[in-house]
Amino acid sequence: GAALLYFTGSKEHNIALRERALKAGFTINEYGLYPLANKNKPAAGRTETEIYRKLGLDYIPPELRENRGEIQQAALGKLPQLVEFSDIRGDFHNHTTLSDGSNSLEEMIAGAKSQGWEWFISADHSQSLKVARGLNLEQLLAKKAEIKNYNKKKNGITVLLGSEVDILANGSLDYEEKTLREIDFLVASVHTAFKQDEETMTHRITSAIKTGYVDILGHLSGRLLNRRDPYPYNFAQVQKTAQECGVALEINGQPQRMDITDVQAKSCAESEVCLALSTDAHSVSQLDYMRAAVLTARRAGLSKKHLLNCLSLPELTLWKKNRMANNMYNTRG
């Protein structure tokens, strides 16, 4: 236990824990917790819980061991009840063969059902992203009809029409308003014009949020780990606008994205900005990326209450209704 604690805690967490141990008359290392008066006989060390308890702390999950206030919370018995994978009821952002995915809509739905999810929002790319075979209006309506027919069969999972709609260079969305109204849940993302400066990019993103049609802001920084740096933008301003409009920010579970970060997600939760986990899956197997998104959420200290994925379908429908009603910019008729 002592070794596990020593090697899974961050350096900052370990230092803070060591200082607490010294104040309590102990020294701690990878072999155990020892009284300063007798360093030959450990006072604790068989389990991590045993060590934390000896130091007057609740057990701190590994994801929180960053010295970001978790030790103080543990001392007060106020650690968050972290979200579990079993709390997830559905996914917002994924792709089928209708755009750039490798599995059909029916196959993706079956995959979502095998995850144990209650609802599934299928969100292919919008029309302007030609490289990803984005859907035009006719294709989008055909998909909506297919989803409607599937739901009539009552197969144990409810499917909704989603779309990952491009935020165009001028901040507008990649469909006309009449088309946007056909979409049940809209994820808005930047996929082009990454060279814009910070002020322009920030205005572009916040303008999209203010349209009133955006439910979730997708992979906010545009980064691809080890392949493409994030574009410049003002996170604080985007977060503020999202809070004003009730728009959720996405924690994307794709290993190359992992965007937003745990630090940003923690800031959102503290500012009462909703968060949504997604797989951004392009195949059935990639629906497992939800686990990576959950781990980021746990590192951010998030509970079920912070995540749209933990809502039942009626609760999610009510959330969207409230979001539309409470958008302070009220640009949508």
Side-chain angles (χ1 to χ4, degrees), residues 1-7 14 17-19 21-22 26-36 38-48 51 55:
L4 191 59
L5 176 57
Y6 185 85
F7 288 107
N14 286 348
L17 205 62
R18 193 177 308 132
E19 290 174 350
L22 287 171
F26 297 99
T27 182
I28 186 172
N29 56 35
E30 63 268 39
Y31 298 102
L33 182 74
Y34 296 86
L36 291 172
N38 182 4
K39 296 183 180 180
N40 296 317
K41 186 178 180 180
R46 289 174 297 176
T47 67
E48 294 178 303
I51 295 173
L55 294 177

Side-chain angles (χ1 to χ4, degrees), residues 148-323:
K148 183 177 180 180
N149 289 332
Y150 180 89
N151 286 332
K152 287 180 180 178
K153 301 175 184 177
K154 298 187 183 301
N155 289 314
I157 186 171
T158 300
V159 185
L160 298 177
L161 176 65
S163 181
E164 186 183 14
V165 177
D166 267 28
I167 300 174
L168 303 179
N170 64 358
S172 63
L173 297 175
D174 187 28
Y175 283 128
E176 294 181 0
E177 288 198 21
K178 65 178 182 180
T179 306
L180 294 173
R181 291 191 179 99
E182 299 288 342
I183 299 167
D184 295 318
F185 269 83
L186 190 153
V187 178
S189 306
V190 170
H191 288 106
T192 57
F194 297 125
K195 300 295 186 181
Q196 291 180 330
D197 60 48
E198 179 178 314
E199 182 178 358
T200 303
M201 183 64 79
T202 302
H203 182 264
R204 172 184 180 180
I205 296 169
T206 55
S207 295
I209 293 173
K210 292 176 184 179
T211 63
Y213 288 100
V214 176
D215 297 301
I216 299 167
L217 199 59
H219 48 70
L220 180 55
S221 79
R223 72 180 186 179
L224 293 175
L225 295 172
N226 298 320
R227 289 173 52 192
R228 184 174 69 211
D229 290 336
Y231 46 68
Y233 73 101
N234 186 315
F235 177 78
Q237 185 58 52
V238 171
Q239 178 180 259
K240 180 177 182 291
T241 307
Q243 191 276 331
E244 292 170 344
C245 297
V247 170
L249 267 61
E250 176 189 70
I251 298 177
N252 189 302
Q254 272 277 351
Q256 63 182 341
R257 291 195 182 274
M258 302 302 288
D259 190 9
I260 57 177
T261 68
D262 58 324
V263 174
Q264 291 172 325
K266 182 177 176 67
S267 175
C268 285
E270 291 169 348
S271 302
E272 298 185 347
V273 174
C274 288
L275 293 143
L277 308 183
S278 81
T279 62
D280 200 352
H282 287 67
S283 67
V284 170
S285 63
Q286 289 184 5
L287 292 173
D288 283 337
Y289 290 162
M290 183 60 75
R291 298 183 183 275
V294 168
L295 286 174
T296 297
R298 287 174 63 87
R299 285 179 58 84
L302 303 188
S303 304
K304 291 169 56 176
K305 67 179 181 179
H306 298 116
L307 300 166
L308 298 182
N309 308 71
C310 301
L311 298 178
S312 66
L313 189 57
E315 290 170 335
L316 189 61
T317 302
L318 179 61
W319 175 86
K320 170 148 185 173
K321 181 179 179 180
N322 290 336
R323 181 197 68 70

